Amino acid sequence: MTGYASVTFAGAQSHNSAATAAPATGSFSVDVRSVNSRFLDAVLRLPDELRHLEPALRERLTRQLKRGKVELRVDTRSADPSSSPLPQAPASEVLGRLSHLESAVRGWLPQAQPLSVMDVLQLTRQPNRTPLRDDDVLACADQALAALREARAREGERLADSLRERTAGLRALVTQARPLVPQIVQRQQARFIERWHQALAQASQTEGSAATVDASQASDRALAEAAALALRIDVAEELDRLSVHLDEIDRQLAQGGDLGKRLDFLIQELHREANTLGSKSSALDSTAIAIDMKVLIEQMREQVQNIE
């Protein structure tokens, strides 16, 4: 499922009773985003100074999330450029050494450009970002993952409502198909027996009086073949299984929890029954119902791949 969460840590004063002026910890942000995926694919993007936290962060992520392509990013850059302090003026001895180096370089390379003020500031810049505490980073990561789970839960509720709408649509199609089954069977049996008798009449006329056909045996054979045809085209069992699978899907949605794999299996069963219904169909109305079922089931399949 998709989702996004972000937690910003603005920096805090370090608690150190032994120091009169305790240094402040640096600010950072933790962003977590996820997109749809059938399996969990976790990517962590951390600054070099926090690489040692990757196992702990990955363990937290895999413990709380089961599906989705998830990216967790820790950004130590300041979100507000105006909050960044101006660079400190370099010390005079540093400027002296830099001037000496520039003179030496230009002695060998007279065409070299002189140093600008920006060049001097960049070369003499001291890191002004305060250190980060591991506990602060992990705590913010926990908050971001909790917020992401809440966002994914809200999306999961919307997906569950959409799935319930489609199970209701499939139930309506099952209800629509049930009264058609005996009508289709009777119609196909009558058509089969009629064509059977027509074939017997044509055979008798073609072979003449020498080829006599026992009427009772022909009738019994026709009825047996008609019964076999009825078994082949009867889809009452498929409709019953469709109803059972739909009931189970609704039960799983009401129960909640980690449903992805169970719903995947149930959708496959729905698709199998709808395919059988379509293959056995011998009338346009039942074929149309089977097609409508497949459309709804395919929509459910796409949604189930996103739900956790």
Side-chain angles (χ1 to χ4, degrees), residues 75-100:
D75 192 353
T76 57
R77 295 173 298 179
S78 175
D80 184 6
S82 63
S83 64
S84 299
L86 291 174
Q88 296 180 354
S92 57
E93 59 271 16
V94 175
L95 290 175
R97 290 198 301 270
L98 187 60
S99 176
H100 178 73

Side-chain angles (χ1 to χ4, degrees), residues 22-193:
T25 58
S27 61
F28 60 91
S29 63
V30 178
D31 299 332
V32 188
R33 68 186 72 226
S34 68
V35 295
N36 298 327
S37 177
R38 295 184 62 185
F39 307 98
L40 180 61
D41 181 10
V43 177
L44 275 65
R45 305 196 183 280
L46 308 174
D48 291 338
E49 62 187 295
L50 297 177
R51 290 292 182 189
H52 63 282
L53 292 180
E54 181 170 349
L57 290 170
R58 188 175 296 276
E59 188 274 333
R60 281 167 160 77
L61 194 151
T62 55
R63 185 177 67 245
Q64 299 192 43
L65 304 175
K66 301 301 181 183
R67 305 179 78 178
K69 185 174 182 180
V70 184
E71 178 185 293
L72 186 149
R73 179 188 295 271
V74 179
D75 192 353
T76 57
R77 295 173 298 179
S78 175
D80 184 6
S82 63
S83 64
S84 299
L86 291 174
Q88 296 180 354
S92 57
E93 59 271 16
V94 175
L95 290 175
R97 290 198 301 270
L98 187 60
S99 176
H100 178 73
L101 288 173
E102 181 185 19
S103 300
V105 171
R106 298 192 67 185
W108 286 93
L109 302 171
Q111 304 300 325
Q113 295 293 327
L115 292 174
S116 66
V117 174
M118 181 61 69
D119 294 335
V120 173
L121 290 177
Q122 289 182 348
L123 289 172
T124 59
R125 182 177 58 186
Q126 297 294 327
N128 52 26
R129 181 160 47 81
T130 52
L132 305 180
R133 284 199 304 238
D134 292 353
D135 291 344
D136 293 334
V137 176
L138 295 176
C140 286
D142 288 337
Q143 296 176 27
L145 288 171
L148 178 68
R149 284 174 57 87
E150 292 177 1
R152 285 162 61 110
R154 290 191 294 270
E155 184 188 2
E157 285 297 327
R158 292 191 293 269
L159 287 174
D161 291 340
S162 179
L163 288 172
R164 292 188 187 98
E165 291 178 3
R166 282 160 177 78
T167 56
L170 285 169
R171 280 198 178 84
L173 290 173
V174 170
T175 302
Q176 183 180 347
R178 285 193 185 280
L180 297 178
V181 174
Q183 299 175 12
I184 294 173
V185 171
Q186 292 175 4
R187 186 165 61 245
Q188 292 300 318
Q189 283 181 319
R191 184 180 302 174
F192 175 81
I193 292 175

Side-chain angles (χ1 to χ4, degrees), residues 241-253:
R241 285 194 291 268
L242 278 169
S243 297
V244 171
H245 297 328
L246 292 172
D247 291 340
E248 180 61 18
I249 289 175
D250 284 343
R251 190 185 72 81
Q252 292 287 340
L253 292 175

